[in-house]
Amino acid sequence: GGLVRITQNSRRPMAKASERRAARNAAVVRYHALGALLATALFVLYRLRRHADTAGWLLWASLLPTSVTYCACLYLLQTHAAAGGELFQAGLVEYTWDVLWVTLFVQVTACASDWFWVILTIPPAVASYYAWTRVIYPWISRPDTPAGAAEDEASGKRRAKQERAMRRQKGR
């Protein structure tokens, strides 16, 4: 009975820590969703108020990719947070934060100049570079092992095993 109580009691702090992390993660994702909403509202209101003469269809069409980027990043972060994952770790989560922050920066600074939209070409360029140097080039530059070589090695081992068995039988 005492061992069961110790085990149950030792799980409670871990469960509480997990619940605290889940609550903290949910708050962080909500905070950034609010930031994305405010950045979009700031951009729209500023462009309509101060630069309505330059606010053509292309400018309004640029809101679609940023909105999709916000939604995708926040969805990934929310899903990761709901699964109990750590929101500030290396890997895909880190890249998601980078894309979210770059998009927020570009949308807010694009109020001052349309040239800031060019910054949104940097993340795909970096992703292409990493894909080429870490995945594509090593994969296509790896020397191919002939299919027959693997089979020859296996058949060679089989043949050597059969020869050893034949020698043992001759020795009897």
Side-chain angles (χ1 to χ4, degrees), residues 21-38:
R21 182 177 1 172
R24 185 185 74 224
N25 287 347
V28 167
V29 172
R30 275 194 310 272
Y31 172 77
H32 285 84
L34 180 63
L37 185 65
L38 288 175

Side-chain angles (χ1 to χ4, degrees), residues 25 28-29 72-101:
N25 287 347
V28 167
V29 172
C73 288
L74 291 169
Y75 175 76
L76 284 171
L77 292 171
Q78 185 178 20
T79 303
H80 188 71
E86 181 61 42
L87 283 182
F88 302 103
Q89 66 181 10
L92 180 64
V93 175
E94 180 182 27
Y95 296 136
T96 304
W97 283 116
D98 293 345
V99 169
L100 182 67
W101 279 101

